[in-house]
Amino acid sequence: ENYEENAERVRAWLLSADGYCRLEDTYHPNEFRIASFSGPIDFDSKMLEAGETTLTFDCKPQRWLKSGEQKILITPNNNRPIVNQTLFEAKPLLRIYGTGQLQVGTGSLTVNTAGTEYIDIDCDIMDCYEGSVNRNGNVTISKWPPFTPGNNIIAFPNDSNITEVYITPRWWTL
């Protein structure tokens, strides 16, 4: 229905995307890619009622696992190893409540000054923030915490006043 109009809407939508975006498909329901549409897009029309085209995307090599988007709550009283079942080192997003030291896998950090509510520590872009507020000065990081393949221990030293850590592990594979 309304083939020409809908084909133009699809063309405009694909060509208007700026930079890399999330790309999902039904063949791989448990993962997604980060991709940019390469174009061009030309439809091979069938009597102006249907058409087909080939879409070409420039994809980053990672296949991000949707399970890596699930937040994991760790507290001093509810602490367990986090298992990276992939063969690749993940760079998690940490949301920390409180102050003090924290050992995350092979990395360690100290929250010297708490945020208003929390501090997000993004190990991928190596940045600390609370919403849109820069919190890099609140945190000392001796090594950005990766999640290596296998068990990754989260340790709260006795003098730590960190009450909760929400971890988005960001698992990926090729």
Side-chain angles (χ1 to χ4, degrees):
E1 202 171 302
N2 301 324
Y3 167 74
E4 287 184 271
E5 178 184 327
N6 287 326
E8 275 309 308
R9 289 175 63 198
V10 167
R11 181 190 328 272
W13 174 70
L14 283 168
L15 294 172
S16 69
D18 189 24
Y20 284 88
C21 301
R22 183 180 180 125
L23 176 65
E24 296 185 33
D25 64 58
T26 55
Y27 295 110
H28 305 96
N30 298 321
E31 59 190 45
F32 63 93
R33 306 285 298 268
I34 301 298
S36 177
F37 180 65
S38 300
I41 181 169
D42 293 310
F43 288 94
D44 182 17
S45 298
K46 310 290 186 217
M47 298 168 66
L48 296 179
E49 291 183 10
E52 66 181 18
T53 188
T54 299
L55 301 178
T56 305
F57 294 91
D58 176 27
C59 295
K60 294 190 177 187
Q62 298 91 339
R63 291 183 179 273
W64 298 95
L65 305 180
K66 290 182 181 178
S67 62
E69 297 179 299
Q70 303 301 313
K71 290 184 174 115
I72 302 166
L73 172 62
I74 301 290
T75 66
N77 299 325
N78 177 22
N79 194 354
R80 63 194 183 283
I82 294 179
V83 181
N84 180 353
Q85 296 180 4
T86 75
L87 299 175
F88 303 96
E89 188 175 270
K91 296 176 181 176
L93 173 63
L94 312 171
R95 177 165 283 185
I96 298 177
Y97 292 84
T99 60
Q101 291 185 320
L102 186 67
Q103 182 82 29
V104 180
T106 60
S108 63
L109 58 93
T110 303
V111 177
N112 303 306
T113 308
T116 307
E117 293 181 46
Y118 60 85
I119 293 181
D120 283 336
I121 299 174
D122 190 328
C123 299
D124 184 32
I125 62 172
M126 298 182 176
D127 197 13
C128 304
Y129 50 88
E130 183 178 12
S132 61
V133 179
N134 182 317
R135 297 287 186 211
N136 288 311
N138 297 48
V139 180
T140 303
I141 298 177
S142 59
K143 181 180 178 194
W144 288 91
F147 283 144
T148 57
N151 286 340
N152 291 273
I153 305 299
I154 313 300
F156 296 81
N158 290 335
D159 60 346
S160 181
N161 290 316
I162 294 175
T163 58
E164 294 179 330
V165 180
Y166 286 90
I167 300 172
T168 306
R170 298 175 168 162
W171 308 131
W172 64 278
T173 190
L174 291 177

